[in-house]
Amino acid sequence: MAPYIDEALLDDPDELGRKDSRGTLRALASAGAQVREALELAREAGIDRLTEEDRPRSVLVAAVGGSSLVSDVLELLAEPGSPVPVQARRNLPLPGWVGPLDLVVAVSLSGRAHGPLAVAAEAARRGASLLTVGADDSPLAEVSRRARGIHVDVGRQRISSRTSLWTLLTPVLVGADRLGLLDAPEAVLTAVADRLDERATELRPSSESFVNPAKLLAMQLAETVPVVLGDGPLGGVAAQRASSMLARTARIPALCGELPDAASSIVACFDGPYTAVGGRRPGTYDERRIRLGDIDTSQWEPHHFDEPDGELMERRRGPEEEAGQDIFADPFLDGPSLPRLGLLMLRDAPAEPPTPESQQAEMLTEAVLTTAREAGARVMEVRAGTGAPVVRLADHIAMVDFAATYLSIGLGLDPSVSPHVADLRDRTS
């Protein structure tokens, strides 16, 4: 049985504000401003010093929790053309090859997360170069300054790494651009800020649900067991973000994957109990029978009975059943129905001009979507707008962030506060 989402609540800005105790929606709307502020803070921190230094032999990025997407994005954007390897690390041990010729990037909003702090301290001990992003009055900042590294402050009123992604990510992209690992000049990052502003306006709380794509997506997700799939590397990183936000913000577990690698594992789910097919191919006869009068045909084999005078009949699935709903089900006798599988496909902007590789990827995506629809899964698609890769990624991140937050509030949850997470912290502190 799918959870109940209060659609009326989503169209009441005042009620949205009351349910959102720490201003998650407001913080997400500030993403564009976060980019611009981070650009200024990076300049003040002296990040241009990186252009005066030799290019490192390798780059290692340490980030955990809500900050971990920083390393994923850097790997994604650097992979096509970076002259040096870029790797992610969550915690110690620091790889044995890290030394004075390498750069370690450590990211923590509070500057106190154990993993990045320990990695930065060990890297400093070995003489590696440091670029750190976090609170200015934190242990991480102190480690960086002692090692003569570059530390970028995160500014004020940043209370959650989930809603401060662009505060953390922007300085890292600036640094990578200065080192020639990727192409993210200030003009591109300004375009990111502009795109995030556009999405904040489009997805604002005062926009009614029938014209607000994030609210519509939240209502669709609420009716499903969601699976999030990216149609390529960029969509794959966005799918990881969606899975994390759905779990941490909306408390909805969601599988995620990236095409082409995840195609078979995701499509296999279409044969499971959360679709209309439920292990049977679409178009076959339903094993259930209608009982007419005193005659019960439930034991009759399909295709092996007649229909004298129209008294006996075999029923094919109607549209409600193809959608995963059985109009003949009795909730009191049969129990509540299972929620329906939902496939959220995060699609990149079409390649211009098309290439054989992009056309093949498009064919695979369409094949997966067609298979999902035929199986009775609910299909949702989000298409990124055009622009540089990081601009297109910002499109997807804005949509899934707002949708997960609206879903949380619509389910009656506070997107900022999880009692069980607080209990876990108390038990492990």
Side-chain angles (χ1 to χ4, degrees):
M1 190 173 180
Y4 171 75
I5 185 168
D6 189 345
E7 298 179 21
L9 189 155
L10 296 182
D11 286 334
D12 186 340
D14 294 334
E15 191 62 23
L16 285 173
R18 282 190 287 271
K19 296 288 186 183
D20 187 7
S21 67
R22 297 187 182 177
T24 301
L25 289 170
R26 182 180 294 275
L28 293 177
S30 74
Q34 289 179 32
V35 174
R36 297 185 184 92
E37 182 185 31
L39 283 171
E40 183 62 31
L41 290 169
R43 279 192 292 268
E44 293 175 359
I47 203 164
D48 288 334
R49 283 167 39 199
L50 291 172
T51 60
E52 303 168 2
E53 301 175 1
D54 294 335
R55 180 178 290 156
R57 178 181 59 182
S58 68
V59 177
L60 185 141
V61 188
V64 296
S67 307
S68 62
L69 195 72
V70 171
S71 56
D72 298 328
V73 173
L74 188 60
E75 285 185 301
L76 166 74
L77 299 178
E79 186 177 30
S82 174
V84 302
V86 177
Q87 297 186 16
R89 196 76 178 184
R90 303 290 190 255
N91 208 332
L92 291 176
L94 192 65
W97 48 260
V98 173
L101 298 179
D102 306 297
L103 171 68
V104 170
V105 180
V107 178
S108 167
L109 187 68
S110 67
R112 291 172 168 79
H114 174 72
L117 180 57
V119 167
E122 177 62 17
R125 190 186 68 80
R126 297 188 194 179
S129 300
L130 282 182
L131 169 61
T132 57
V133 183
D136 201 43
D137 57 347
S138 66
L140 183 62
E142 183 63 23
V143 166
S144 186
R145 292 184 181 115
R146 286 181 179 177
R148 297 184 179 179
I150 299 171
H151 180 78
V152 181
D153 186 22
V154 293
R156 300 178 179 178
Q157 298 178 338
R158 302 286 181 248
I159 60 173
S160 168
S161 57
R162 282 178 291 137
T163 59
S164 304
L165 170 65
W166 295 100
T167 292
L168 301 169
L169 177 59
T170 303
V172 177
L173 295 180
V174 172
D177 177 77
R178 299 295 189 272
L179 292 168
L181 309 185
L182 50 79
D183 187 26
E186 187 164 330
V188 168
L189 294 175
T190 299
V192 170
D194 293 341
R195 182 65 60 85
L196 291 169
D197 285 344
E198 292 170 9
R199 290 294 164 262
T201 300
E202 179 187 20
L203 309 177
R204 65 192 184 277
S206 60
S207 173
E208 295 182 331
S209 58
F210 63 88
V211 294
N212 188 319
K215 291 182 180 180
L216 289 171
L217 182 58
M219 289 187 287
Q220 292 173 324
L221 288 168
E223 300 172 352
T224 69
V225 175
V227 174
V228 190
L229 199 56
D231 68 351
L234 187 144
V237 170
Q240 291 179 43
R241 173 68 172 187
S243 176
S244 174
M245 288 295 288
L246 286 170
R248 185 63 179 83
T249 302
R251 284 67 145 184
I252 299 291
L255 290 173
C256 68
E258 171 191 324
L259 293 178
D261 293 348
S264 58
S265 60
I266 296 299
V267 170
C269 296
F270 301 160
D271 290 323
Y274 297 104
T275 65
V277 174
R280 298 178 297 276
R281 298 293 300 165
T284 60
Y285 282 93
D286 194 330
E287 65 189 10
R288 293 185 300 271
R289 301 289 178 266
I290 294 178
R291 180 175 296 183
L292 300 176
D294 295 328
I295 303 175
D296 182 4
T297 65
S298 61
Q299 303 302 316
W300 288 54
E301 294 293 326
H303 312 297
H304 291 285
F305 62 89
D306 298 322
E307 297 183 359
D309 301 326
E311 292 180 348
L312 299 179
M313 58 183 290
E314 185 176 35
R315 177 170 54 86
R316 291 182 182 270
R317 288 185 183 84
E320 294 84 358
E321 289 178 289
E322 291 296 342
Q325 301 172 352
D326 184 359
I327 60 173
F328 291 91
D330 187 326
F332 295 99
L333 298 178
D334 302 331
S337 60
L338 291 173
R340 181 179 170 192
L341 187 72
L343 175 62
L344 172 57
M345 181 69 76
L346 301 179
R347 307 187 68 170
D348 201 355
E352 294 294 343
T355 64
E357 293 77 12
S358 68
Q359 291 174 332
Q360 186 176 12
E362 190 79 8
M363 288 177 59
L364 175 60
T365 300
E366 291 297 338
V368 171
L369 293 175
T370 298
T371 304
R373 292 188 180 100
E374 289 180 350
R378 180 160 202 166
V379 173
M380 298 154 278
E381 298 182 58
V382 175
R383 174 80 79 166
T386 58
V390 68
V391 176
R392 306 198 307 270
L393 181 64
D395 243 348
H396 276 327
I397 288 176
M399 178 64 75
V400 300
D401 283 1
F402 272 95
T405 305
Y406 284 130
L407 176 55
S408 174
I409 296 173
L411 294 175
L413 303 170
D414 187 330
S416 308
V417 180
S418 169
H420 287 92
V421 171
D423 289 345
L424 180 64
R425 289 195 185 117
D426 291 342
R427 289 166 180 157
T428 56
S429 60

